[in-house]
Amino acid sequence: AQSKAERAREFREKAAATEQSSTRAAGVNLYVKNLDESTTDAALRELFEPFGTITSCVAVKDDKDTCKGFGFVCFTTPDEATKAVTEMHLKVVQGKPLYV
């Protein structure tokens, strides 16, 4: 069994590691829904690139490799994300309005 001091030290080490890993993806992650089933990661990135630097972009796919209708776009700053939401919310893409 661990002593109280050992548990506290282990908890601090885990907390510090978690804090460091979360800073690498800092920014704002946007949820985008109502995507067409033919949407790819590259197509989603292309739609949102004009608004700023994208750190990650994923169109979620099912086991048949077709888009499930939603995805995530992560921007480096909140300002870029806000601009993307303002411009892209309810914009019609491939005949469907996007919800950002």
Side-chain angles (χ1 to χ4, degrees), residues 26-39:
V28 181
N29 200 22
L30 299 180
Y31 170 72
V32 184
K33 71 176 188 176
N34 209 25
L35 294 170
D36 189 69
E37 62 184 32
S38 65
T39 305

Side-chain angles (χ1 to χ4, degrees), residues 14-49:
K14 281 184 182 178
T18 304
E19 192 174 295
Q20 288 172 350
S21 68
S22 67
T23 57
R24 117 188 119 70
V28 181
N29 200 22
L30 299 180
Y31 170 72
V32 184
K33 71 176 188 176
N34 209 25
L35 294 170
D36 189 69
E37 62 184 32
S38 65
T39 305
T40 62
D41 293 353
L44 190 58
R45 181 178 289 271
E46 201 174 286
L47 277 174
F48 284 87
E49 259 178 341

Side-chain angles (χ1 to χ4, degrees), residues 20-99:
Q20 288 172 350
S21 68
S22 67
T23 57
R24 117 188 119 70
V28 181
N29 200 22
L30 299 180
Y31 170 72
V32 184
K33 71 176 188 176
N34 209 25
L35 294 170
D36 189 69
E37 62 184 32
S38 65
T39 305
T40 62
D41 293 353
L44 190 58
R45 181 178 289 271
E46 201 174 286
L47 277 174
F48 284 87
E49 259 178 341
F51 306 107
T53 309
I54 296 173
T55 54
S56 70
C57 180
V58 177
V60 180
K61 296 175 182 64
D62 62 11
D63 53 357
K64 296 179 187 125
D65 211 34
T66 58
C67 183
K68 284 186 165 185
F70 69 97
F72 299 92
V73 181
C74 187
F75 285 95
T76 53
T77 66
D79 292 338
E80 293 172 344
T82 302
K83 192 162 79 171
V85 170
T86 305
E87 297 287 324
M88 295 299 287
H89 186 67
L90 297 177
K91 181 177 181 183
V92 177
V93 177
Q94 294 177 329
K96 298 173 98 177
L98 292 185
Y99 295 94

Side-chain angles (χ1 to χ4, degrees), residues 1-14:
Q2 290 180 320
S3 70
K4 183 176 180 179
E6 289 173 325
R7 285 193 307 274
R9 183 176 42 81
E10 190 175 306
F11 177 75
R12 280 193 304 274
E13 288 171 1
K14 281 184 182 178

